[in-house]
Amino acid sequence: KCPSYPLDCPNECGVRGIKRAEVDQHRNECPLEPVECPFKEAGCQARLVRNELDSHMTANQQQHILTLMAAFREVKAELRASKTMQEVIATDVAIIQQSPEKQSSDLALASIKSQLELNNSLRLQRYGPPLTIRMINFSHYQRSGKVWYT
C-alpha cells in the first residue's frame, strides 16, 4: 500500500486526491467526520458530524449546563463520602496505635459511631433534612389517649 496513493475522503466531503498517509490528518479536520459532543462525559449522548457541532452546542447550552451540574453533584457526593471514609480510617488508625487493652473497646465504639455517622450522612444526602410538623393543641390529642405512630 503506497503512502502517496491518492484517495477520496472516506466521509465523502468532496475532497479528492488525499495521500493515503494523510487521510487520518484530513479526518481530524473533515467537516463530515462523525464526532461526539464535548459534553459526553457530563451525559450528552449526541453523535453528529463536525460541521453540526457549533449549532448543537448553541442549541443545547441549557441542557449541557444541567447535565454538567448533575455530574458535578455526583462527584461532590462521592468526594464527601470519600472524605468521611478517610476520617473513619484515621480514627481507626489512631485507636489501633493506643495500648492493646483500650484498642478493642475503643475500636468497636468508634466503628459503631462512624457507621452511624456515615448512615446519617447518606440519609441526609438522599432524603434531605428531617421534616418538622407543628400540631396545634397537641396536648389535647395527647390527653385523648390515642396512640401516635411515627
Side-chain angles (χ1 to χ4, degrees):
K1 295 186 175 191
C2 176
S4 296
Y5 184 80
L7 298 171
D8 294 342
C9 173
N11 297 321
E12 300 177 358
C13 74
V15 175
R16 303 179 69 118
I18 307 167
K19 292 180 182 178
R20 178 176 281 140
E22 297 173 359
V23 168
D24 287 340
Q25 180 182 347
H26 168 75
R27 291 182 73 175
N28 288 334
E29 301 166 359
C30 179
L32 297 182
E33 177 70 14
V35 294
E36 295 173 335
C37 176
F39 284 87
K40 178 184 179 186
E41 286 192 48
C44 183
Q45 301 297 313
R47 184 148 173 84
L48 48 152
V49 292
R50 182 171 282 113
N51 67 355
E52 295 173 349
L53 188 59
D54 285 341
S55 62
H56 168 77
M57 296 296 285
T58 301
N60 293 285
Q61 286 179 353
Q62 185 175 8
Q63 187 60 37
H64 286 152
I65 290 171
L66 292 174
T67 56
L68 193 59
M69 286 304 298
F72 173 74
R73 281 188 207 101
E74 283 182 30
V75 169
K76 194 173 175 182
E78 289 173 8
L79 182 61
R80 264 193 233 117
S82 174
K83 284 182 180 179
T84 303
M85 289 308 295
Q86 288 175 355
E87 291 167 1
V88 167
I89 291 168
T91 302
D92 289 350
V93 168
I95 291 170
I96 289 170
Q97 292 172 345
Q98 292 176 0
S99 65
E101 303 83 39
K102 279 190 81 182
Q103 281 181 9
S104 62
S105 63
D106 286 354
L107 187 58
L109 183 61
S111 178
I112 291 169
K113 183 178 177 184
S114 64
Q115 287 175 7
L116 287 172
E117 289 172 356
L118 183 59
N119 286 342
N120 286 337
S121 172
L122 294 175
R123 188 178 303 119
L124 278 174
Q125 287 176 17
R126 181 175 287 160
Y127 302 111
L131 178 65
T132 303
I133 299 173
R134 182 171 183 241
M135 292 182 66
I136 299 171
N137 288 331
F138 181 72
S139 59
H140 168 74
Y141 294 107
Q142 230 176 355
R143 280 184 253 135
S144 70
K146 293 182 181 177
V147 177
W148 295 91
Y149 295 97
T150 59

